[in-house]
Amino acid sequence: MELATVIFLFLVGIVFIIKGGDFFVDAASWMAEVSGIPKLIVGATIVSLATTLPEMLVSVMAAAKGSVDMAIGNAVGSVTANIGLIMAISVICIPSVIRRADYLMKSILMLAAAILIVVCGASGQLGIPIAVVMIAIFCIFLCENVSSAKRSMKAGADAAGRRKIEGKKEVAVNVVRFMVGAIGIVWGADLLVDNGSALAAMVGVPERVIGVTIIAVGTSLPELVTTITAIIKKQSSLSVGNILGANIIDLTLILPLCSLVSGKALPIAATSARYDLPACLLVGCIALIPAMVFLKFQKWQGILLLCVYAGYLYLTCSAVAA
């Protein structure tokens, strides 16, 4: 009976995160829409910050409660899921031509952060100095996006897409959505961490595996919702921009915050260093390097990403069984 209760509360946490993320993203997207900020910048900043809030809260809460493997597994696992699963679906459904200038800096920053975390895995910990470097990468990411937004808005990009506010009721509805979404995500994250840890202890599955699979995919569902919506509306730049921005935030803000919250270097388990961190870097290279060379995202990349992600999950589960 106790196991059933834990599973129920775990699922309730996922539902709260999904619905809270949905409300939060809707409100954030509305704010961006009425401001007239370009879609790629909206995806990489406002929507990314909104959709990564679940990962951030889950990982920080996990680190604060001593579940370090879950904290790292969720943050890194979310990046791998974002690219290997969600971005793969987007690329398969909407292969698109891109401008290198729009994606190059974001790609460099994401891969640099992924390389840093692999190096940390080799040393067995994420220390405070590396955490500071990662936060610096995050600051560069924000500055680059603000500069891009200013340039685009000055040039009149997407000005036609700016929508007028229809009245006070519309403002009130979106403020309520924003607040309800934030509360839902916080509450859901707390339920997810507490019951995820309890579930791992009950069934004998390591916290890391729970983090990189169920929790990572669960907290990545807002990105999946955003991607599916973008596919339906044929807005690939919003989808890919959101995923890139979310990944940079996951690696350069969430992990350093976990280190600072725990008050010491984050220990990285050997299994995580062997499977999770290289998988994160590998899917990033497959998604971004060919795109920067050929100036387009192609279907074969999406198919290869799905295969690599499936292989990674198989190896992760096999390591537990062994």
Side-chain angles (χ1 to χ4, degrees), residues 33-39 152-163:
E33 189 177 344
V34 297
S35 71
I37 299 172
K39 291 182 179 64
S152 297
M153 293 176 76
K154 188 175 181 180
D158 275 12
R162 183 179 300 182
R163 185 168 65 80

Side-chain angles (χ1 to χ4, degrees), residues 24-318:
F24 201 92
V25 169
D26 284 346
S29 298
W30 173 83
M31 293 173 190
E33 189 177 344
V34 297
S35 71
I37 299 172
K39 291 182 179 64
L40 177 64
I41 307 303
V42 170
T45 53
I46 298 172
V47 178
S48 295
L49 285 167
T51 56
T52 52
L53 191 58
E55 289 98 321
M56 185 181 300
L57 289 174
V58 168
S59 287
V60 170
M61 286 181 180
K65 294 177 180 181
S67 300
V68 176
D69 285 349
M70 184 181 291
I72 295 175
N74 173 52
V76 176
S78 291
V79 173
T80 309
N82 283 346
I83 300 177
L85 179 61
I86 299 170
M87 187 172 177
I89 293 171
S90 177
V91 170
I92 290 171
C93 295
I94 318 176
S96 57
V97 176
I98 63 171
R99 290 177 63 243
R100 186 181 285 120
D102 290 337
Y103 292 89
L104 183 59
M105 179 57 75
K106 295 175 183 62
S107 299
I108 291 172
L109 292 176
M110 203 215 89
L111 292 178
I115 290 170
L116 271 178
I117 194 67
V118 169
V119 171
C120 289
S123 66
Q125 65 177 16
L126 193 159
I128 300 298
I130 295 294
V132 172
V133 173
M134 286 189 167
I135 290 175
I137 292 175
F138 174 72
C139 292
I140 294 170
F141 164 70
L142 282 185
C143 291
E144 193 268 338
N145 276 295
V146 170
S147 299
S148 297
K150 286 181 178 178
R151 287 195 301 269
S152 297
M153 293 176 76
K154 188 175 181 180
D158 275 12
R162 183 179 300 182
R163 185 168 65 80
K164 292 183 179 179
I165 300 174
E166 295 177 2
K168 292 182 179 180
K169 183 179 179 181
E170 185 181 14
V171 175
V173 166
N174 282 283
V175 168
V176 170
R177 280 183 177 177
F178 189 89
M179 294 174 65
V180 169
I183 292 169
I185 292 171
V186 172
W187 194 8
D190 196 38
L191 287 172
L192 205 64
V193 171
D194 287 345
N195 293 284
S197 298
L199 186 62
M202 285 180 178
V203 300
V205 176
E207 284 185 352
R208 167 197 153 263
V209 175
I210 296 288
V212 300
T213 54
I214 301 173
I215 293 180
V217 174
T219 55
S220 293
L221 287 174
E223 282 94 343
L224 180 58
V225 171
T226 303
T227 295
I228 291 172
T229 303
I231 289 170
I232 293 171
K233 296 182 179 180
K234 300 190 182 302
Q235 298 287 351
S236 61
S237 60
L238 180 63
S239 170
V240 175
N242 169 44
I243 292 169
L244 274 179
N247 290 345
I248 293 171
I249 294 168
D250 279 340
L251 294 174
T252 63
L253 183 60
I254 296 177
L255 287 175
L257 279 178
C258 290
S259 179
L260 295 175
V261 165
S262 66
K264 56 185 179 181
L266 280 181
I268 298 176
T271 309
S272 185
R274 188 179 306 119
Y275 295 110
D276 306 335
L277 309 187
C280 174
L281 178 58
L282 178 60
V283 293
C285 290
I286 293 171
L288 299 176
I289 293 176
M292 293 305 101
V293 173
F294 299 108
L295 300 182
K296 58 183 176 181
F297 290 105
Q298 303 171 77
K299 281 190 177 183
W300 69 262
Q301 287 175 275
I303 294 169
L304 181 57
L305 285 170
L306 284 177
C307 292
V308 169
Y309 186 64
Y312 160 67
L313 291 181
Y314 173 77
L315 289 174
T316 295
C317 295
S318 297

